[in-house]
Amino acid sequence: MHAKVVRYFVEVVRAGSIRKAAEQLHVVPTAVNRQILNLEAELGAPLFERIHNKLKLTPVGEIVLAHSRTTLREFEAVRQQIDAVRGLRQGEASLATTAGLASAFLPMVAQRCRAGYPGIYLKLVDMQIGGVVRAATEGDVDLALAYDVPESAGLRTLFSSEWPIGAVVPPGHALSARGTVTLADCVGFPLILPTASLSLRPILDGALGRSAISVSPVIETTSTALMRQLTRQGVGISLLNRLDVSDDVRAGTLVFVPLRDSGLRLQSLALVSRAGATLSAAAEVLAQQVVACIEEALVAG
């Protein structure tokens, strides 16, 4: 049924007469009466019994009323969704993360946000883990994405995932055909390691210490992007988690071989926001895209 017909019919039922309904709808009574008569003709049955100038719904009218009310509720829900999407034309969303995630993961997120919601203005900043946590806690950004985020009453976890650590080698390397390797397998090759300021290094140091393995890396760096590049160039092998190198693995430029050392814990990745804060529609979209990309990477691995 046409939206106008539904609206007129429901208003007649509510008002109890065509004249009162016309007053509420700001139209002349003949316009309302014509819509009701047309609807009755289309359905082939009367909607009202007219008894002593009063309108009473017929059984057919009761059926049409139930349908009409459902239609109006659903239409209102659609309008609210459209209004929310329209609001995103001027929306803004911000996210803080570490440099490694910014270079390896956020490009896909930004691309999808731009493709699906071109009106959203994105602010994506990278900083050290302490700055990431502080920016989220103090509300300087809507969202934060980082590994091994410390528990805090000032943060709300929106999504978390666990990522295995492994040896990252170029294709054709002696370790590339292995299903898994150990840290002991890796120390025979030039190692490129993250510095102690990155959350991954304490995990590696703890596992190396438990295995009584001493290492002398040829390069230490704060940049996981540089680690990947140096590994591609054959300078050495890196120890990173699977998400860090997901793009390279898909492109076939690097190979990820999981470490199987006992006691080597997974690296936890968390998407967080300030506790108690209500995300804007734009920030909700950004969060949804981050989670979708993470889940796809989990499945692809």
Side-chain angles (χ1 to χ4, degrees), residues 153-166:
L155 293 175
R156 174 169 62 111
T157 300
L158 304 176
F159 184 82
S160 63
S161 55
E162 304 291 329
W163 294 91
I165 300 168

Side-chain angles (χ1 to χ4, degrees), residues 27-272:
V27 296
V28 296
T30 54
V32 176
N33 190 55
R34 183 168 58 252
Q35 293 289 346
I36 298 299
L37 291 174
N38 288 342
L39 181 56
E40 288 179 328
E42 182 178 347
L43 295 174
L47 300 174
F48 296 98
E49 293 180 273
R50 293 164 176 83
I51 304 173
H52 304 301
N53 294 325
K54 292 183 179 181
L55 298 179
K56 180 182 178 182
L57 283 171
T58 64
V60 171
E62 295 283 1
I63 294 172
V64 174
L65 177 62
H67 171 76
S68 298
R69 285 173 172 167
T70 299
T71 299
L72 289 177
R73 284 196 299 269
E74 291 176 350
F75 183 68
E76 181 59 28
V78 169
R79 290 188 60 174
Q80 290 177 4
Q81 293 175 15
I82 292 172
D83 289 342
V85 171
R86 284 175 174 169
L88 295 180
R89 293 177 181 172
Q90 303 299 322
E92 297 183 7
S94 55
L95 181 146
T97 190
T98 56
L101 285 166
S103 64
F105 180 70
L106 282 192
M108 181 185 297
V109 173
Q111 181 183 27
R112 292 190 178 188
C113 283
R114 291 294 303 153
Y117 303 88
I120 295 180
Y121 165 73
L122 297 178
K123 182 178 181 181
L124 309 174
V125 294
D126 68 82
M127 55 187 72
Q128 293 186 349
I129 180 64
V132 171
V133 172
R134 186 164 53 253
T137 304
E138 296 178 359
D140 294 334
V141 293
D142 299 309
L143 303 165
L145 181 69
Y147 293 114
D148 301 314
V149 176
E151 291 188 10
S152 168
L155 293 175
R156 174 169 62 111
T157 300
L158 304 176
F159 184 82
S160 63
S161 55
E162 304 291 329
W163 294 91
I165 300 168
V168 179
V169 300
H173 188 275
L175 299 180
S176 64
R178 303 260 196 106
T180 60
V181 293
T182 65
L183 288 168
D185 295 326
C186 298
V187 296
F189 301 93
L191 282 179
I192 304 168
L193 296 182
T195 63
S197 63
L198 299 187
S199 60
L200 178 57
R201 184 58 183 270
I203 299 175
L204 294 172
D205 286 345
L208 289 166
R210 284 188 294 273
S211 301
I213 298 173
S214 61
V215 296
S216 298
V218 295
I219 296 175
E220 292 186 358
T221 176
T222 59
S223 171
T224 57
L226 179 58
M227 293 174 68
R228 299 197 310 271
Q229 182 177 351
L230 292 171
T231 303
R232 288 194 296 267
Q233 294 173 351
V235 175
I237 71 172
S238 298
L239 299 178
L240 293 167
N241 78 46
R242 181 161 59 79
L243 182 61
D244 290 331
V245 295
S246 58
D247 287 345
D248 291 287
V249 171
R250 279 195 297 270
T253 56
L254 289 175
V255 177
F256 176 83
V257 187
L259 289 166
R260 65 173 185 272
D261 297 75
S262 61
L264 180 67
R265 70 175 178 86
L266 302 177
Q267 195 168 19
S268 177
L269 178 67
L271 177 68
V272 300

Side-chain angles (χ1 to χ4, degrees), residues 6-40:
V6 171
R7 192 158 46 90
Y8 280 19
F9 172 68
V10 171
E11 186 59 37
V12 170
V13 174
R14 191 196 67 79
S17 75
I18 289 177
R19 180 183 60 79
K20 291 180 181 179
E23 291 175 357
Q24 293 298 319
L25 294 166
H26 304 291
V27 296
V28 296
T30 54
V32 176
N33 190 55
R34 183 168 58 252
Q35 293 289 346
I36 298 299
L37 291 174
N38 288 342
L39 181 56
E40 288 179 328

